[in-house]
């Protein structure tokens, strides 16, 4: 018998997951709702564990109206739009499915149910079991021979066969369509027969068997009331019956046998789970990928283990010794201040004053004279909290609906521009009054997620120059391990205060329907909700400001992280231009190249097969070509990336399969998707930089992730070539040369490594010369590669086992290389050992500029866990300091550009590189300026080297 096919009703699970957390939504590190994403993949992985499907697909609804809308104009008409915060997650889920490699099916014009029905009937015809995973009643019509429904239930799935359908609904599967036609379905606006409910419909079908038989024998019905209702609703019943009838001949090319579940790329989806702050899914995916969670980062994302750790600690006097003022810190010294350190355990919070948990007093300002009074209070207080209410979560599309202010804990107001009855205060009059306050640099504005407000206000015609505190960024510095830095979570954690959630404004809202816009909320209710945002932001400020000083983060916060907020906002507003025609041409080229590789694989194997099918690939590699299996999984022998890399050493087919996978992924992830992300208003792509997503302080990019475009492959360069400046402008790139090794040389104070950098030698050749006992000129390419691998690997605590795998050498030989390396650079070994000892003593490590990372596992009795913490302990001061230096460089470059009146602007930050867009006639001046400012970002014992170049596209650089 063929292997069973599992079909998941994608949107059904998405909605179920979202509303499962409706009372207490999950939030990602950016404060956005992530309930649907988390619930979807938790259920998906649970299904994989329980059922181990070999054939599987997620089925998605049409993005266009279906034939049912043509049949019945009011079909689904009573459904309001999907909640915006849920709608945003659908794209995230589909992106993750694509990255993971899970097959997804969609046919425009048809609903997911129709596609599932079509495949179910095809399975029935070939004797294959088909499981339909959904909570949708419509699909129960299909249950029967070879077809069952799996209904999500808690952490399991309720398997529904014919008997179970009758047990739950008192009708058989073949009667479900008639049942729905009689009782109707309010969620899809299926009218049914007015006055006929579920119990009556079930009894009628029990008595008469079918809808047709019921109407043929209607005169036999003893109840005159029911007979009258059925007669009146006859046309409605048959219309409803037609609407709920499932289509079983959807024009679908895929056959059940084509839906073999491929070898899923769990390592590729790890950065996406990290971006969403879902540590449990990171650990689960890492385990499935065979990766230590401490090393679960993909290229272009956070370094290994970056989200591991506990609450931040503080020193006895809260002081910090760092290179934060541009001065030189002693090599190897990470000063924790005098006296014994104070350890903060995971989740620990300082006790909040009871008054900060009390409810506030709020006012709706509906007169301009009253607004003037509030703005006078703001100027008198000097400090104030500010928040904006808008009609969209997308800052590039949002328009203000109102603003809120607070000048002291417990007191706040809401300034509405629009309400349920239309305009409240004249928008232009409000702008004239509020603009001078927000642009007054002598006032102190406090905000939560100020980057969003900055962008909204900038588009509204106001420059936010009074920003003095961002509670989201402060909350992140104080506890990088928190699940969320949204206002609701911060209020609960630090104030013991439960805020009003947006969903609370609509208590009568039906589950699964979109929330109305904020300007539809009654003014008094809206005022309490909006003013509370400003009030809670001010309360958090009163807690966070002294706490930052107490724990020694004030300088890092005020000198580095806070000034970066407007810089990142301007970068996001500016965006970057792409050549869509170039990408379209490259897509066609890749399509041809993929076909060529396929034919080469087929010729080598002697027959065609589905390259994306793990089962068929297993057969080809391990049965036909008799290659040695490396790792077994629940569904056979693994064919993941690491396995294919090993097998490629003995056979050409795995290498070509890897090549095919790479090109397919680049084409779908970048080449085909980037043009769709161009903003229709600006004609540019606008990525989002996440400031609060990592423990080492590195910035990440998302929607799209422009830091993750491969740089080593030629294909990655081709993609980057499509990024182009405005006509008459050029790109300028400034890149730190081997910045992490420079930081290592400074921290360790090793004379050999320091000398190599000071004399501007090729560090890898110098290392190779010392390890192999030859002159630098005699170092071979292979020897330099070994030296380079060790130079960078030591920062990650690379073991001899890992080195042997990366270099394809014996483990004993790898051990000899590592020993020779530490003999060559003895101070590096001392630095590693000292850093681990200090981490054990303090429970944390710190960067040169004062960023701290707690390490609760550093004293674990589990050797594996402790080893992971030790690797993080060594890596964090290096990578974290490098990240801090890059941020400092961004601030210096931005400030200098503005001081000199340059038209140049920073567009992107990609790890150790800045990309600027510069008017052509300013090229040389900006190149000089950027090089100077980046080289002077901090003073180390080893000079920072900066490579600056320019070009007509991103791909021309480097």
């Amino acid at each position: 018998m063929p292997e069973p096919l599992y079909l998941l009703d994608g949107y059904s699970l998405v909605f179920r997951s979202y509303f499962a957390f409706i009372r207490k939504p999950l939030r990602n590190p950016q404060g956005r709702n992530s309930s649907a994403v988390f619930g979807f993949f938790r259920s998906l992985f649970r299904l994989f564990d329980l059922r181990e499907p070999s054939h599987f697909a997620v089925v998605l609804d049409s993005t266009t109206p279906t034939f049912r809308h043509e049949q019945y104009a009011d079909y689904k008409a009573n459904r309001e739009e999907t909640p915006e915060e849920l709608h945003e997650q659908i794209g995230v889920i589909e992106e993750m499915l694509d990255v993971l490699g899970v097959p997804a099916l969609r046919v425009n014009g048809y609903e997911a149910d129709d596609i599932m029905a079509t495949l179910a009937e095809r399975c029935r015809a070939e004797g294959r079991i088909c499981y339909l995973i959904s909570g949708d009643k419509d699909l129960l019509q299909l249950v029967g021979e070879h077809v069952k429904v799996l209904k999500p239930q808690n952490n399991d799935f309720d398997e529904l066969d014919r008997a179970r359908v009758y047990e739950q609904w008192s009708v058989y599967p073949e009667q479900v369509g008639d049942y729905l036609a009689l009782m109707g379905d309010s969620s899809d606006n299926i009218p049914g027969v007015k006055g006929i409910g579920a119990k009556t419909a079930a009894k009628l079908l029990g008595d008469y068997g079918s809808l047709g038989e019921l109407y043929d024998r209607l005169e036999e019905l003893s109840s005159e009331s029911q007979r009258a209702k059925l007669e009146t609703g006859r046309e409605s019943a048959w219309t409803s019956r037609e609407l709920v009838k499932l289509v079983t001949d959807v024009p679908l090319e895929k056959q059940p046998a084509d839906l073999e579940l491929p070898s899923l790329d769990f390592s590729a989806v790890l950065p996406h789970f990290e971006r969403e702050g879902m540590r449990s899914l990171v650990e689960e995916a890492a385990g499935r990928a065979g990766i230590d969670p401490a090393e679960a980062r993909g290229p272009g994302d956070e370094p290994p283990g970056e989200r591991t750790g506990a609450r931040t600690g503080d020193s006895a006097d809260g002081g910090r010794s760092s290179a934060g003022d541009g001065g030189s810190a002693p090599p190897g010294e990470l000063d924790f201040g005098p006296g014994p350190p104070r350890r903060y355990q995971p989740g620990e919070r300082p006790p909040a004053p009871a008054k900060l948990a009390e409810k506030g007093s709020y006012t709706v300002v509906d007169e301009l004279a009253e607004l003037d009074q509030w703005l006078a209070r703001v100027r008198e207080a000097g400090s104030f909290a500010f928040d904006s209410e808008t009609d969209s979560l997308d800052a590039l599309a949002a328009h203000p609906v109102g603003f809120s202010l607070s000048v002291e804990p417990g007191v706040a107001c809401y300034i509405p521009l629009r309400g349920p009855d239309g305009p409240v205060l004249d928008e232009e009059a409000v702008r004239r009054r509020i603009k001078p306050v927000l642009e007054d640099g002598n006032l102190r504005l406090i905000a939560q997620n100020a980057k969003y407000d900055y962008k909204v206000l900038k588009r509204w015609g106001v420059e936010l120059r009074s920003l003095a505190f961002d509670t989201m960024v402060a909350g992140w510095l104080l506890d990088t391990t928190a699940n969320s830095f949204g206002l609701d979570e911060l209020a609960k954690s630090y104030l013991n205060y439960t805020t009003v959630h947006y969903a609370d404004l609509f208590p009568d809202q039906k589950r699964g329907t979109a929330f109305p816009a904020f300007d539809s909320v009654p003014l008094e209710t809206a005022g309490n909700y909006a003013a509370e945002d400003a009030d809670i932001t001010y309360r958090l400020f009163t807690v966070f400001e002294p706490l930052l000083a107490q724990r020694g983060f004030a300088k890092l916060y005020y000198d580095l992280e806070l000034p970066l907020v407007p810089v990142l906002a301007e970068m996001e507003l500016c965006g970057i231009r792409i050549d869509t025609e170039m990408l379209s041409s490259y897509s066609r080229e890749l399509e041809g190249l993929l076909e060529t590789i396929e034919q080469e694989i087929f010729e080598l194997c002697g027959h065609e097969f589905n390259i994306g099918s793990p089962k068929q690939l297993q057969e080809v590699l391990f049965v036909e070509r008799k290659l040695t299996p490396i790792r077994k999984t629940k569904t056979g022998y693994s064919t993941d990336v690491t396995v294919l890399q090993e097998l490629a050493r003995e056979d050409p087919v795995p290498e070509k399969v890897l090549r095919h996978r790479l090109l397919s992924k680049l084409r779908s992830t970048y080449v085909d998707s980037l043009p769709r992300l161009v903003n229709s208003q600006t004609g540019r792509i606008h990525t989002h930089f996440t400031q609060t997503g990592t423990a080492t302080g590195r910035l990440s990019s998302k929607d799209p992730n422009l830091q993750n475009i491969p740089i080593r492959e030629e294909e990655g360069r081709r993609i980057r070539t499509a990024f182009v400046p405005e006509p008459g402008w050029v790109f300028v790139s400034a890149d730190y040369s081997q910045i992490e090794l420079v930081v290592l040389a400074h921290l360790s104070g090793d004379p050999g490594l320091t000398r190599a950098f000071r004399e501007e030698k090729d560090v890898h050749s110098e290392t190779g010369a010392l390890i192999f006992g030859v002159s630098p000129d005699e170092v071979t390419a292979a020897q330099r590669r070994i030296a380079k691998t060790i130079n960078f690997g030591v920062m990650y605590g690379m073991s001899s086992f890992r080195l042997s795998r990366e270099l394809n050498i014996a483990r004993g030989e790898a051990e000899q290389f590592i020993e020779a390396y530490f003999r060559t650079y003895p101070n590096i070994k001392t630095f590693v050992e000292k850093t681990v000892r200090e981490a054990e003593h303090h429970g944390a490590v710190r960067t040169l500029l004062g960023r701290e990372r707690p390490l609760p596992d550093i004293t674990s009795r589990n050797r594996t866990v402790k080893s992971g913490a030790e690797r993080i302990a060594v890596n964090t001061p290096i990578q974290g300091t490098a990240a801090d230096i890059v941020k400092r460089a961004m601030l210096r470059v931005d400030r200098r550009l503005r001081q000199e009146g340059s038209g140049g602007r920073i567009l992107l930050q990609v790890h150790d590189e800045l990309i600027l867009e510069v008017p052509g006639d300013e090229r040389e001046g900006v190149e000089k300026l950027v090089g100077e400012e980046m080289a002077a970002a901090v003073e180390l014992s080893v000079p920072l080297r900066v490579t600056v170049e320019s070009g007509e596209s991103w791909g021309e650089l480097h």
Side-chain angles (χ1 to χ4, degrees), residues 153-320:
Q153 190 171 36
N154 298 325
N155 290 321
D156 206 338
F157 297 88
D158 186 8
E159 185 171 316
L160 302 179
D161 56 11
R162 177 179 169 80
R164 290 281 289 133
V165 170
Y166 185 82
E167 181 183 324
Q168 289 198 7
W169 301 99
S170 300
V171 293
Y172 289 106
E174 63 270 21
Q175 296 175 309
V176 168
D178 294 343
Y179 175 69
L180 294 173
L182 285 168
M183 63 175 282
D185 186 346
S186 59
S187 66
D188 288 344
N189 205 30
I190 304 296
V193 176
K194 189 175 181 180
I196 302 295
K199 288 185 179 179
T200 302
K203 184 179 184 309
L204 289 171
L205 291 172
D207 292 341
Y208 293 92
S210 69
L211 186 68
E213 189 70 12
L214 171 63
Y215 273 106
D216 286 345
R217 298 165 54 191
L218 193 59
E219 69 281 357
E220 299 177 14
L221 198 61
S222 59
S223 170
E224 292 184 11
S225 172
Q226 289 181 2
R227 191 165 61 244
K229 291 174 183 176
L230 288 165
E231 186 59 57
T232 302
R234 181 187 294 265
E235 182 178 349
S236 178
W238 286 110
T239 298
S240 299
R241 185 64 186 88
E242 192 64 27
L243 289 173
V244 299
K245 181 180 179 182
L246 297 177
V247 174
T248 57
D249 58 353
V250 173
L252 188 69
E253 294 181 5
K254 296 285 186 182
Q255 297 294 329
D258 298 328
L259 296 174
E260 273 195 88
L261 190 64
S263 179
L264 301 181
D265 196 346
F266 287 100
S267 60
V269 82
L270 281 171
H272 296 265
F273 289 147
E274 268 296 329
R275 179 190 69 192
E276 295 298 315
M278 297 172 179
R279 284 177 289 174
S280 62
L281 289 181
V282 168
E283 292 175 3
E284 187 166 352
R288 293 172 187 272
I291 299 173
D292 183 340
E295 299 180 358
R297 297 296 185 280
D301 277 271
E302 307 154 23
E306 194 144 294
R307 288 289 296 176
T308 306
R311 292 271 311 155
T312 49
D314 72 335
S315 61
D317 64 353
R320 284 290 183 267

Side-chain angles (χ1 to χ4, degrees), residues 322-461:
S322 73
D325 60 355
S328 172
E333 289 298 319
L334 300 176
D335 181 21
F336 279 82
R342 163 80 161 94
R343 286 178 180 267
Y344 285 85
Q345 298 304 317
E348 182 182 352
R349 296 287 188 268
K355 65 178 183 180
L356 293 182
E358 297 173 358
K359 291 297 180 182
S361 174
Y362 306 138
T363 303
V364 174
V365 176
D366 54 7
E367 297 288 344
L368 290 175
E370 190 177 1
L371 173 59
D372 291 335
Q373 293 172 6
W374 268 95
L375 294 178
R377 293 177 68 180
V378 165
R379 290 193 176 278
E380 182 181 354
S383 298
F384 67 105
F386 174 87
D387 187 53
S388 58
E389 299 296 340
T390 65
D391 54 10
S392 173
L393 293 175
D394 180 1
L396 289 176
H399 300 92
V401 172
F403 306 103
S404 52
L405 300 171
S406 176
V407 293
E408 61 179 294
V411 180
C413 72
Y414 176 53
I415 306 160
L417 300 178
R418 302 195 302 275
D421 299 324
V424 180
L425 292 174
D426 180 74
E427 185 167 341
E428 185 54 39
V430 171
R431 179 166 30 216
R432 284 198 308 270
R433 285 165 167 79
I434 209 167
K435 180 181 172 76
V437 172
L438 299 180
E439 294 185 346
D440 188 343
N442 295 316
L443 297 176
R444 301 187 71 208
L445 180 144
I446 304 145
Q448 162 75 11
N449 188 15
K451 181 154 64 75
Y452 176 84
D453 292 306
Y454 183 102
K455 292 190 290 183
V456 170
L457 290 168
K458 181 73 177 284
R459 294 179 55 251
W460 196 57

Side-chain angles (χ1 to χ4, degrees), residues 12 87 169 174 249 343 355 372 392 425 448 456 469 494 538 546 628 696 699 741 773 802 816 830 877 941 948-949:
S12 173
H87 182 75
W169 301 99
E174 63 270 21
D249 58 353
R343 286 178 180 267
K355 65 178 183 180
D372 291 335
S392 173
L425 292 174
Q448 162 75 11
V456 170
F469 205 90
Y494 287 93
Y538 198 99
T628 305
T696 59
L699 295 171
L741 283 176
R802 184 171 169 184
Q816 292 174 6
T830 302
S941 59
V948 183
E949 53 187 319

